[in-house]
Amino acid sequence: MKSICKDLADEYTALDDMVKDLDADGWQTVTPFYNWTIKDEISHLAYFEKTACLSATDSEAFAEEVEKILQGITSFDDVFRNVNAIGGAMSDADLLAWWRKERAQLVAAFESLKPDARVPWYGPTMSARSSATARIMETWAHAQDVVDTLGIEREPTDRLRHVAHIGVTTFGWSHVSRGLEVPDVAVRLELIGPSGDLWTWGSEDVSDSIKGQAEDFCLVMVQRRHVDDTRLEVKGGVARNWMLIAQAFAGPPVDGPKRGERITIK
């Protein structure tokens, strides 16, 4: 777990550097993600660092927290509204301190576990390694909202391999969550990582394929870009449909941005 925990800590630091010097107006800037503010984004992350830590250290306390946050809830929107309100009620400085505390405790908790240890989550249990990978994905995705909102540059890193891996493993989920039959057609994936290495998944001897930059693929997986606003080369109907419904995170099916709705990669 040491390597993935370092990647998780580095992903946290990268986002922290984007928000730590924001003034009050900056924290209240509305992002293109459901019109959440930057403060909502960090509030959301801080809460789920907390529950991920409970998941890794105290399954009973985690179950109690889930029951508490879901009490009287009728939709996921209500859940997220309640979650974001926790950090939203704090001062900007207190929220930043809370997020830093929760994420540090989470990294320490992950470091104490074996990669294949099972931990509960909002649905099926997962391995500790998968839970840490999911936190990397979540942090990177919400950081993209901050990047787009503030118009800043973010150099991609090889930590994207974790996000790409989740994207590949949720191929079936992207279909099942929408009540669709999972295609029995394999898709070949060839991605160029930020360091120039070629990352591949699937057999070369298939008709459907996706080729391009790892960053582009990951942006589609976390629904921060429409596939047509990326440089990805998509071949085959199954591959194309996957890119239109891809969802690398849990919860009910969600539609990503429409073509041209978020920034086009040049």
Side-chain angles (χ1 to χ4, degrees):
M1 292 291 289
K2 184 177 180 180
S3 176
I4 195 169
C5 283
K6 181 182 184 306
D7 285 348
L8 177 57
D10 288 347
E11 204 62 55
Y12 286 142
T13 298
L15 176 53
D16 193 301
D17 287 343
M18 296 178 200
V19 303
K20 65 183 181 182
D21 295 325
L22 290 176
D23 59 17
D25 288 340
W27 280 98
Q28 292 301 323
T29 305
V30 175
T31 76
F33 185 75
Y34 299 144
N35 289 321
W36 287 9
T37 64
I38 290 177
K39 190 167 186 175
D40 288 330
E41 304 261 1
I42 301 302
S43 299
H44 179 90
L45 288 172
Y47 176 81
F48 285 105
E49 319 305 358
K50 170 187 173 181
T51 59
C53 188
L54 289 177
S55 169
T57 60
D58 190 337
S59 59
E60 290 186 5
F62 171 76
E64 291 173 1
E65 183 62 31
V66 172
E67 183 177 357
K68 176 182 175 182
I69 202 66
L70 294 181
Q71 189 171 8
I73 293 301
T74 59
S75 72
F76 264 78
D77 287 342
D78 290 339
V79 173
F80 293 147
R81 190 177 298 110
N82 288 351
V83 164
N84 294 354
I86 297 171
M90 300 178 183
S91 70
D92 301 335
D94 286 347
L95 170 60
L96 188 57
W98 180 44
W99 179 45
R100 287 170 173 171
K101 180 191 75 171
E102 296 297 349
R103 75 195 204 209
Q105 291 178 342
L106 176 57
V107 170
F110 279 144
E111 288 176 337
S112 70
L113 298 176
K114 294 182 178 180
D116 60 354
R118 305 303 296 180
V119 297
W121 197 236
Y122 301 85
T125 64
M126 63 175 76
S127 69
R129 181 176 181 82
S130 292
S131 184
T133 302
R135 297 318 302 156
I136 292 174
M137 179 268 290
E138 185 92 354
T139 305
W140 182 81
H142 287 288
Q144 186 64 44
D145 302 328
V146 177
V147 167
D148 290 345
T149 300
L150 300 180
I152 59 181
E153 295 291 331
R154 172 169 66 161
E155 288 296 321
T157 73
D158 283 347
R159 296 192 296 272
L160 285 177
R161 183 151 194 163
H162 299 297
V163 184
H165 174 73
I166 290 183
V168 172
T169 59
T170 52
F171 172 81
W173 163 250
S174 295
H175 293 81
V176 169
S177 66
R178 295 172 181 271
L180 302 174
E181 185 175 346
V182 180
D184 58 4
V185 175
V187 177
R188 168 73 171 180
L189 192 61
E190 297 182 7
L191 302 178
I192 301 172
S195 295
D197 295 335
L198 180 64
W199 303 344
T200 65
W201 288 265
S203 171
E204 296 181 71
D205 188 26
V206 295
S207 59
D208 283 53
S209 64
I210 301 168
K211 300 179 181 180
Q213 298 293 320
E215 182 182 24
D216 288 359
F217 177 77
C218 293
L219 286 169
V220 174
M221 289 297 105
V222 298
Q223 297 188 346
R224 264 57 180 189
R225 294 291 186 275
H226 188 281
V227 62
D228 292 343
D229 293 328
T230 72
R231 300 156 291 187
L232 292 174
E233 298 176 14
V234 182
K235 178 182 177 183
V238 170
R240 171 71 180 178
N241 189 61
W242 179 26
M243 291 297 93
L244 295 176
I245 65 171
Q247 181 171 322
F249 46 87
V254 178
D255 292 328
K258 296 179 176 64
R259 182 187 306 173
E261 195 169 69
R262 290 190 67 163
I263 299 170
T264 301
I265 299 175
K266 302 297 183 180

